[in-house]
Amino acid sequence: DLEKWARDHFKVNSIEYRWSTHDMEGFDRVPFIGKFADRIYGATGFKGWGMTHGTVAGMIITDLIIGHDNPWRRLYDPKRSQLKTAGVQTITENVHVTKKFLASKLPSAKKEDFAALPEGEGQVIEIKGKKVAVYKDPQGNLHTRSAVCTHLGCEVNWNNAEKSWDCPCHGSRFDCKGKVIHAPAIKDLPQVNLDKE
């Protein structure tokens, strides 16, 4: 959408660089800053506002450590009441995850379809009932991994802009060859040998 808008409004010869991020946010869109446990302080959930909230975090955490009151402490408290404000969003998010999980169980493209896969792209293909993440590198070599996310079992999708396998359920990301690049997954996508399939 952004590329189309730019081309509609400006003379654009080519797109040389792309930038993206996967920003996390709290259930109420306010970061978690403060004491998480005994002697453990942290700050997370900035949703792209790291410069501002990083400064706020430094002020709040410093005050907590030295025992001074801070007027923003309660607003950002990681232990603030979640039940009242998080209920609807939690249900909405879980419905989204459930839809993605169930959709991943539907049939994918078949084995013969990856012959036409362009170099530098990926596709999820079904081989003997198994979902396989197939990436064809610029040299034409195929890299085949399980398409099942190692976090909780959703099917990964190919992200052509970043050349990565992304899990739509919880945000795990893997590089084009199946190596973990973003949690919550901590294990790489298992390799699949097409000769045995």
Side-chain angles (χ1 to χ4, degrees):
D1 291 341
L2 181 59
E3 182 178 346
K4 181 184 181 318
W5 183 90
R7 290 185 185 280
D8 288 347
H9 292 84
F10 303 101
K11 182 180 177 188
V12 177
N13 293 326
S14 65
I15 306 291
E16 299 298 326
Y17 302 98
R18 295 177 185 268
W19 177 84
S20 76
T21 184
H22 299 269
D23 295 319
M24 304 300 179
E25 68 178 326
F27 61 87
D28 56 359
R29 300 186 178 166
V30 175
F32 297 106
I33 300 171
K35 190 171 185 176
F36 283 81
D38 186 41
R39 298 176 53 177
I40 298 175
Y41 299 86
T44 186
F46 293 170
K47 195 177 189 255
W49 288 89
M51 294 293 283
T52 303
H53 284 113
T55 302
V56 170
M59 295 166 72
I60 292 173
I61 292 171
T62 299
D63 284 345
L64 289 171
I65 291 171
I66 63 176
H68 289 172
D69 191 31
N70 186 292
W72 306 314
R73 181 181 52 83
R74 284 192 184 91
L75 174 65
Y76 292 100
D77 186 351
K79 297 176 184 172
R80 62 188 180 268
S81 175
Q82 299 180 16
L83 190 57
K84 293 177 186 173
T85 54
V88 173
Q89 184 163 347
T90 300
I91 291 168
T92 302
E93 286 297 320
N94 282 314
V95 167
H96 167 76
V97 168
T98 301
K99 283 181 183 177
K100 291 292 184 182
F101 180 79
L102 293 175
S104 74
K105 303 308 173 193
L106 298 174
S108 300
K110 300 296 180 194
K111 183 175 183 178
E112 55 273 12
D113 294 340
F114 69 70
L117 183 64
E119 292 175 356
E121 293 193 17
Q123 182 178 6
V124 174
I125 295 168
E126 188 169 331
I127 302 172
K128 293 186 180 176
K130 292 182 184 175
K131 303 291 180 89
V132 180
V134 179
Y135 168 69
K136 187 184 282 187
D137 68 25
Q139 293 74 37
N141 301 311
L142 293 178
H143 302 271
T144 53
R145 297 285 184 155
S146 169
V148 179
C149 180
T150 56
H151 176 231
L152 288 177
C154 290
E155 182 182 314
V156 296
N157 297 321
W158 177 248
N159 176 340
N160 202 45
E162 297 185 49
K163 305 296 182 200
S164 63
W165 296 103
D166 300 352
C167 180
C169 292
H170 302 103
S172 295
R173 299 180 65 228
F174 306 84
D175 73 9
C176 59
K177 296 178 183 176
K179 302 286 183 196
V180 173
I181 55 176
H182 194 279
I186 57 172
K187 294 181 182 176
D188 298 340
L189 296 174
Q191 190 165 0
V192 174
N193 186 341
L194 290 181
D195 295 332
K196 293 183 179 179
E197 297 301 327

